[in-house]
Amino acid sequence: QVIASAGSISGTLKFQVSNDHGANQVFTNWSDLGTAATISSAPSVVLFAEQDMCYRALRAVYTDASGGSATALLTVQIMCTGV
């Protein structure tokens, strides 16, 4: 779940995953997980629901589309459970 608050925002957010086995937890190769979501106003909430999360690393990547004029607070909450 991604929460955009406290300002204006214009861009896309996507998650990327890696299964690299590098030393010191350095991950080099990243693959997109699902599709990117457009976030065009604050406040807004976007929920990403993914299954089969068997990756060593996960990161959130935000790409600004405002040319640097928009600012906002993005909060990313991640919950993974295994069975």
Side-chain angles (χ1 to χ4, degrees):
Q1 182 174 14
V2 178
I3 303 166
S5 61
S8 62
I9 191 167
S10 176
T12 58
L13 183 95
K14 65 182 174 182
F15 287 101
Q16 292 183 330
V17 294
S18 178
N19 275 331
D20 286 354
H21 294 282
N24 299 323
Q25 298 297 315
V26 175
F27 302 99
T28 304
N29 302 299
W30 295 94
S31 299
D32 292 347
L33 180 65
T35 58
T38 300
I39 302 174
S40 59
S41 66
S44 65
V45 177
V46 178
L47 178 65
F48 290 83
E50 298 292 335
Q51 296 179 355
D52 301 323
M53 295 289 293
C54 53
Y55 307 102
R56 294 176 58 89
L58 171 77
R59 71 179 180 184
V61 178
Y62 175 75
T63 304
D64 180 41
S66 72
S69 63
T71 59
L73 174 64
L74 279 179
T75 303
V76 178
Q77 300 171 340
I78 299 172
M79 184 177 88
C80 295
T81 59
V83 284

